[in-house]
Amino acid sequence: MVELLSRLPSIPYPPEQEGWWSPITSTIDWCEENYVVTQYSAEIINTLTNLLFMYLAAKGIRNCLKHGHDTVFLVAFIGYLLVGSGNPMQLVDELSMIYTTCLMNFATFSYGKSRQYSTLLAIALVSLALFITLYYHYLQDPSFHQNAYAILTVIVLLRAMYVMEVNIRPKFRSKEREIANPRPHGGVKKVQVKEDLRDQEILRTMWKMIAFGLSIFLGGFAIWSLDNEHCSTLRRWRREIGMPWGFVLEGHGWWHIMTGIGAYFYIVWGVWLRHCLNYRQDEYELLWPNMWTMPEVVKRGGSSTNQGTNGSMKKEL
């Protein structure tokens, strides 16, 4: 493949040089060579792929404001925006990932709990975020940040899956959950059957979202790991191929694109799950026509759609 691409018309990579933001002060210097395209951006592909974060964050913020989703998700999308806009300041970029994940932990673990519990949880998560910030600043070891982020992400993901299953899947729902349903309870067996079918369809769509988002996130992580492990080989290949074809081998850029999409899917899933937990499945719907579009949760009747009433994924006609 490298030999084939090297035969295409291309622009040779210039040598690394000093640039506008020199000297390098970040804890990690990624595999992308510095200032080879422009002196105003040390890693141009790293910078440009962060624009996806900013676009999806703007999409999520607008959706939260327009459709009245819980404030915690609005703040989560603002944190997601900081991940993208923090590229010139690596510490801001990395710590924003921690803060956003802590927010999602709060959204997941505080649902249905008392004000006292939620307050204590908020204090604990703020304290944890502060500890990670100060210790990472002192340690300057990227592996500490990566491990902390991975642990927080796994915890919130597993908890959200558990909450989804035990509260929405009909066979797992508790009697307390059934009683809390605001629909009328007199002679409603047919209504119950209809709601159960609706919820089962919603769960199928949610698991599709989880599988797709998690797969693309882990795929991005795998590419990023290969980028770190085989950096010298990738740099040699990129120079053999030349620009712009060599940009395809920028693993950190693919990490931004794929993890950005995966994280966006997770937040949208969290928004949809919260509405379902609040028995608002008939007020809101998930718009996700196909795998190649970005999902969003909207109020029913808020926009034209060919979406089914159960919020399931359907292809556009």
Side-chain angles (χ1 to χ4, degrees):
M1 179 181 175
V2 173
E3 183 179 352
L4 178 63
L5 290 176
S6 64
R7 296 176 182 175
L8 298 175
S10 62
I11 301 171
Y13 274 82
E16 283 192 284
Q17 55 188 309
E18 294 293 312
W20 184 263
W21 305 99
S22 296
I24 297 171
T25 58
S26 62
T27 56
I28 302 176
D29 188 13
W30 304 114
C31 188
E32 184 177 357
E33 296 180 72
N34 297 317
Y35 299 108
V36 295
V37 176
T38 172
Q39 64 174 332
Y40 298 107
S41 176
E43 298 173 338
I44 189 66
I45 302 302
N46 190 358
T47 300
L48 292 177
T49 51
N50 262 330
L51 294 176
L52 177 68
F53 277 88
M54 302 179 75
Y55 165 73
L56 292 178
K59 182 181 179 71
I61 290 170
R62 177 180 178 276
N63 182 263
C64 286
L65 293 174
K66 181 178 179 180
H67 297 285
H69 305 318
D70 287 1
T71 303
V72 67
F73 298 110
L74 173 63
V75 178
F77 274 118
I78 293 173
Y80 181 94
L81 176 64
L82 290 175
V83 174
S85 60
N87 180 66
M89 300 164 285
Q90 184 200 357
L91 197 63
V92 175
D93 185 355
E94 294 175 334
L95 290 175
S96 296
M97 296 164 65
I98 296 293
Y99 303 153
T100 303
T101 309
C102 284
L103 280 168
M104 294 306 294
N105 269 274
F106 178 79
T108 301
F109 282 92
S110 65
Y111 176 78
K113 304 297 183 181
S114 66
R115 181 180 295 273
Q116 182 181 12
Y117 177 94
S118 298
T119 301
L120 292 175
L121 177 63
I123 293 172
L125 288 171
V126 169
S127 300
L128 177 62
L130 182 61
F131 166 75
I132 293 173
T133 299
L134 295 176
Y135 193 64
Y136 183 38
H137 188 269
Y138 164 76
L139 200 61
Q140 296 288 301
D141 181 3
S143 62
F144 169 73
H145 164 267
Q146 293 158 10
N147 291 332
Y149 176 68
I151 292 171
L152 286 171
T153 300
V154 169
I155 289 173
V156 70
L157 188 61
L158 293 177
R159 172 64 180 179
M161 289 177 180
Y162 171 79
V163 169
M164 177 183 73
E165 282 290 326
V166 300
N167 287 282
I168 299 178
R169 191 170 297 280
K171 68 178 180 179
F172 293 151
R173 279 199 302 253
S174 65
K175 291 183 179 180
E176 291 78 8
R177 176 75 181 168
E178 293 286 357
I179 294 173
N181 193 330
R183 64 170 170 74
H185 289 275
V188 291
K189 187 171 182 179
K190 288 185 178 180
V191 174
Q192 181 68 67
V193 171
K194 183 179 179 181
E195 288 185 353
D196 288 349
L197 292 173
R198 176 202 63 191
D199 290 346
Q200 288 172 355
E201 183 62 29
I202 286 174
L203 281 168
R204 279 192 288 270
T205 304
M206 283 185 172
W207 278 113
K208 289 178 184 177
M209 286 187 70
I210 294 169
F212 184 80
L214 190 58
S215 296
I216 198 167
F217 186 95
L218 293 177
F221 183 82
I223 291 175
W224 174 75
S225 298
L226 291 172
D227 192 61
N228 290 334
E229 185 72 22
H230 303 287
C231 181
S232 58
T233 301
L234 289 169
R235 285 188 174 186
R236 188 181 74 251
W237 285 351
R238 289 198 293 260
R239 289 193 168 275
E240 290 177 9
I241 295 170
M243 298 184 291
W245 319 112
F247 296 158
V248 177
L249 299 178
E250 296 288 358
H252 193 69
W254 287 110
W255 153 261
H256 279 172
I257 292 171
M258 298 175 76
T259 58
I261 292 173
Y264 174 83
F265 265 71
Y266 173 69
I267 299 176
V268 173
W269 169 47
V271 172
W272 182 218
L273 176 59
R274 177 61 64 89
H275 286 309
C276 291
L277 292 176
N278 289 335
Y279 296 101
R280 304 184 74 180
Q281 300 97 313
D282 295 326
E283 297 178 42
Y284 287 87
E285 62 182 331
L286 175 72
L287 297 185
W288 189 29
N290 53 62
M291 294 288 188
W292 312 111
T293 57
M294 294 294 105
E296 59 181 347
V297 178
V298 302
K299 285 185 177 179
R300 291 190 181 275
S303 61
S304 60
T305 176
N306 61 359
Q307 194 81 2
T309 57
N310 56 11
S312 61
M313 181 176 64
K314 290 190 176 181
K315 293 185 178 180
E316 294 176 327
L317 298 177

